[in-house]
Amino acid sequence: RARAAGMNAEMDAVEAENQVELEEKTRLINQVLELQHTLEDLSARVDAVKEENLKLKSENQVLGQYIENLMSASSVFQTTDTKSKRK
């Protein structure tokens, strides 16, 4: 009987250890899944920001060209070479 009780206690200890290992594995798996979702979200955000950045760069080029055209068409922004020649 003492031997059987000792074996039962040993089996209980092994079962408890297995349960702790299983809980730890489950916790780690959940943590990995959460990190994967976070990475996916961040990657999607980076892609969206890159796309927005490209759009803004394109708009900036158009506006820069527009301003350049306005300045070249306006006498106010012409070079001051003609004024300095008058002196």
Side-chain angles (χ1 to χ4, degrees), residues 80-87:
T80 56
D81 288 347
T82 54
K83 289 180 184 176
S84 62
K85 286 179 183 176
R86 287 183 191 165
K87 289 182 180 179

Side-chain angles (χ1 to χ4, degrees), residues 1-80:
R1 283 189 163 186
R3 190 177 211 189
M7 284 182 71
N8 281 342
E10 226 177 275
M11 287 175 67
D12 287 346
V14 168
E15 270 186 49
E17 193 176 312
N18 287 343
Q19 184 64 31
V20 167
E21 271 186 41
L22 183 62
E23 287 171 4
E24 180 67 10
K25 284 180 183 177
T26 302
R27 188 185 68 76
L28 287 173
I29 287 169
N30 287 334
Q31 191 175 4
V32 166
L33 291 173
E34 187 180 332
L35 288 171
Q36 282 178 337
H37 291 310
T38 301
L39 180 59
E40 287 170 3
D41 291 344
L42 287 172
S43 293
R45 177 73 180 128
V46 165
D47 289 342
V49 168
K50 280 182 180 178
E51 192 175 316
E52 181 68 16
N53 190 38
L54 284 173
K55 193 190 312 180
L56 290 172
K57 275 184 179 179
S58 176
E59 287 176 13
N60 195 36
Q61 285 178 335
V62 169
L63 287 172
Q65 190 62 49
Y66 177 71
I67 290 169
E68 217 175 277
N69 291 342
L70 282 177
M71 288 173 66
S72 66
S74 171
S75 60
V76 175
F77 295 105
Q78 295 301 317
T79 59
T80 56

